[in-house]
Amino acid sequence: MPRHMPTLILVHEPEKACFDRLVADGFPAERALEISSYLAQSTDLSPEFDELAATCERRGLAFVPVELDDAATALGKADPETTLVWTLTDGVSYFRGGAAPALARLNGLKTIGADDSLFALCQDKFRSGAVLGALGLPVPQAGLARDGHWLVEPPDSAAGWFVKPNRLGAKIGIWQDSRCEDLGNALELSRRVFAAYRDDVVVQPYVAGRNVRASFLGLKPDTGAEALGISFVDSGADFQTMADSLALYGGTGEAAKAAGHYAEPVLLPVADTQPGAAATIRRIAERLRAGLGLRDVFSIDLRVEADDHVHLIEFEVCPGLPCFDFRAYCRSQWGMGLADAMAETAANRLTDQKRHA
């Protein structure tokens, strides 16, 4: 790669590499396919690498996509003065993308996104929830169970509980019965999740409301929470299951589209009907930026009740850039397609860093 030309390196973990590793580790192929599908943004973005290269070239940058397994070598050869690293996938358990920002730091390279400690924290939902609660943010309290046994008992809940894997998705309940009225059922779900995915489950009081996605891209270095895009994500379901997720992205998503099973959720601006809730979400984002260190690119998932009460469900340091919601955000907030928005962000960051060097 060029050693003197400003360069954007995009590190990504392919679905197939993850799938093959999981199968080698003893996961059944069906489970490995489900788990590796969380890396579908790598699959979905790869056809646009040529477009990304062209948009970067127009801004005086080289674009170099690097698969995660090649990242140690590639980042070790990169020029710290002219290189910017953007990591597309996070993960410390099933996925390994959290190694990329750590490798960038090891080699003295500048990065887009949060520091590597948050790449680990965001993937452990029980621990991240504890940190968010300590920051005074409105995250539901949680219990933690492993294979039918409580590690931490959940709080009482008149509305029942929601059960989800601890390291495999913060809002996906896997199955339709992931909302349950009895803690015995919650423990049974923990057995099923452990058997299928070798994961603990977070058990939270069920919270009512509509699903909301807040997206952020710091296209300019001084961008603040005013650039947050906050939308209701209306899919017609109360929560997303694994089957719903598989129908949206990657190779499984393409198959779902071909079979006529794909239905893209509707995005509606929260501020149009609940401006008070939108204002609360911006304050939450500012607290996450100041107290947790989110920056550059991230997303937040929330539930918003009709009375504007907001529940913070999770944050993501690697939002699904090629997903429908982030593309819509780039168009509405920045008036750009995804490739141009990414290239412009990188060019602005490298220019700003050179100015302050």
Side-chain angles (χ1 to χ4, degrees):
M1 67 185 66
R3 290 195 59 84
H4 302 294
M5 184 178 185
T7 300
L8 171 63
I9 296 178
L10 183 74
V11 180
H12 61 104
E13 182 174 9
E15 284 184 88
K16 187 178 186 307
C18 178
F19 175 85
D20 290 344
R21 181 168 45 83
L22 291 170
V23 170
D25 194 34
F27 279 91
E30 183 179 359
R31 299 287 85 80
L33 179 66
E34 291 174 346
I35 294 168
S36 61
S37 73
Y38 281 78
L39 301 175
Q41 61 174 320
S42 178
T43 301
D44 291 341
L45 191 58
S46 57
E48 299 175 53
F49 285 167
D50 287 345
E51 182 182 359
L52 272 163
T55 58
C56 284
E57 185 178 7
R58 288 198 291 271
R59 293 166 173 84
L61 308 179
F63 172 72
V64 181
V66 173
E67 293 190 6
L68 184 62
D69 286 335
D70 302 324
T73 299
L75 298 187
K77 296 177 179 179
D79 182 357
E81 295 300 317
T82 58
T83 302
L84 186 65
V85 178
W86 193 326
T87 304
L88 189 62
T89 46
D90 52 30
V92 293
S93 179
Y94 307 103
F95 319 116
R96 301 167 297 150
L103 285 170
R105 183 161 59 90
L106 182 66
N107 288 285
L109 304 174
K110 304 173 184 67
T111 60
I112 286 281
D115 68 61
D116 45 288
S117 66
L118 292 189
F119 277 70
L121 182 64
C122 77
Q123 280 295 299
D124 189 312
K125 306 310 178 182
F126 185 76
R127 293 179 184 178
S128 65
V131 172
L132 296 174
L135 287 170
L137 293 165
V139 60
Q141 290 182 282
L144 187 69
R146 178 180 301 154
D147 196 17
H149 302 281
W150 293 117
L151 302 178
V152 178
E153 292 194 9
D156 293 335
S157 173
W161 294 267
F162 190 68
V163 181
K164 58 194 179 186
N166 185 45
R167 298 171 301 172
L168 195 58
K171 56 190 177 297
I172 293 179
I174 303 297
W175 302 293
Q176 289 288 354
D177 58 353
S178 294
R179 180 186 176 186
C180 57
E181 303 296 330
D182 182 271
L183 287 177
N185 292 339
L187 286 177
E188 177 56 29
L189 281 165
S190 81
R191 294 185 188 98
R192 288 162 57 189
V193 167
F194 191 84
Y197 306 105
R198 307 178 192 174
D199 201 2
D200 301 339
V201 296
V202 173
V203 182
Q204 294 175 317
Y206 173 81
V207 293
R210 298 168 68 185
N211 296 315
V212 168
R213 167 67 55 84
S215 301
F216 179 85
L217 178 65
L219 188 134
K220 301 175 183 178
D222 58 351
T223 303
E226 74 284 348
L228 199 69
I230 308 171
S231 298
F232 289 115
V233 184
D234 288 339
S235 64
D238 185 32
F239 59 87
Q240 195 177 66
T241 65
M242 176 62 81
D244 297 330
S245 178
L246 288 170
L248 285 175
Y249 314 116
T252 54
E254 289 301 318
K257 291 176 187 177
H261 299 154
Y262 174 84
E264 192 170 283
V266 176
L267 299 174
L268 300 169
V270 173
D272 286 356
T273 54
Q274 294 187 242
T280 297
I281 292 169
R282 293 191 192 281
R283 289 193 293 271
I284 289 172
E286 287 288 13
R287 182 66 173 145
L288 288 168
R289 282 161 54 89
L292 200 61
L294 290 188
R295 64 172 189 258
D296 300 337
V297 58
F298 59 84
S299 67
I300 313 169
D301 285 298
L302 314 102
R303 296 271 275 187
V304 172
E305 298 189 53
D307 64 358
D308 286 352
H309 193 81
V310 174
H311 305 273
L312 173 60
I313 304 301
E314 73 162 336
F315 69 91
E316 290 284 359
V317 296
C318 286
L321 299 182
C323 297
F324 68 95
D325 56 293
F326 202 85
R327 290 182 189 274
Y329 164 72
C330 290
R331 290 193 299 268
S332 62
Q333 177 61 42
W334 297 114
M336 294 182 179
L338 178 62
D340 273 308
M342 291 177 67
E344 186 71 11
T345 299
N348 287 340
R349 184 56 45 83
L350 284 165
T351 299
D352 185 68
Q353 288 168 346
K354 185 176 180 179
R355 185 167 60 245
H356 289 91

